[in-house]
Amino acid sequence: MTHLPHQEIEELWAGIRHLAEERLALIEHVVEISKTAAPDPAAVEEARRAAHNLAGSLGSFHRPDGSRAARHAEDALTPPSIDRDRLIEAVTHLRAALQ
């Protein structure tokens, strides 16, 4: 297996970072909805898949803290209910990892 130099990884990351931001936005949307009502199960599932994808991509791009936060978000979004406090904490860490 060939390892890419750090600079190449960062260049690739720059090209797809917007996808990570979009996935995070799906998760943040569920957080916002959950402040006033129970989110639609389809939106929760979409956010859970987004968190799962973020965990993998952040790990691949050498962002282990972000990957861990995404796994926590995925766990918080796994039925039967949303762990809103854990989700909010995970989103805070994800936001920091994407900066």
Side-chain angles (χ1 to χ4, degrees):
M1 182 167 144
T2 305
H3 293 284
L4 294 174
H6 181 75
Q7 181 180 349
E8 289 182 36
I9 291 170
E10 290 305 308
E11 288 172 7
L12 290 170
W13 172 249
I16 67 147
R17 182 174 172 202
H18 70 281
L19 295 174
E21 291 282 347
E22 289 172 10
R23 289 176 177 149
L24 179 55
L26 291 171
I27 300 166
E28 289 173 329
H29 177 70
V30 168
V31 169
E32 287 302 312
I33 291 171
S34 71
K35 288 178 180 177
T36 58
D40 175 59
V44 173
E45 178 57 23
E46 185 177 26
R48 191 198 61 74
R49 279 193 312 269
H52 178 81
N53 290 336
L54 273 172
S57 60
L58 289 169
S60 295
F61 285 95
H62 301 198
R63 286 162 170 77
D65 293 341
S67 182
R68 251 186 315 279
R71 283 194 305 274
H72 289 301
E74 180 181 8
D75 291 345
L77 289 161
T78 300
S81 64
I82 294 174
D83 184 340
R84 189 168 178 277
D85 292 336
R86 187 174 184 192
L87 183 58
I88 290 169
E89 182 179 345
V91 165
T92 300
H93 290 287
L94 271 169
R95 178 58 56 203
L98 295 182
Q99 298 306 319

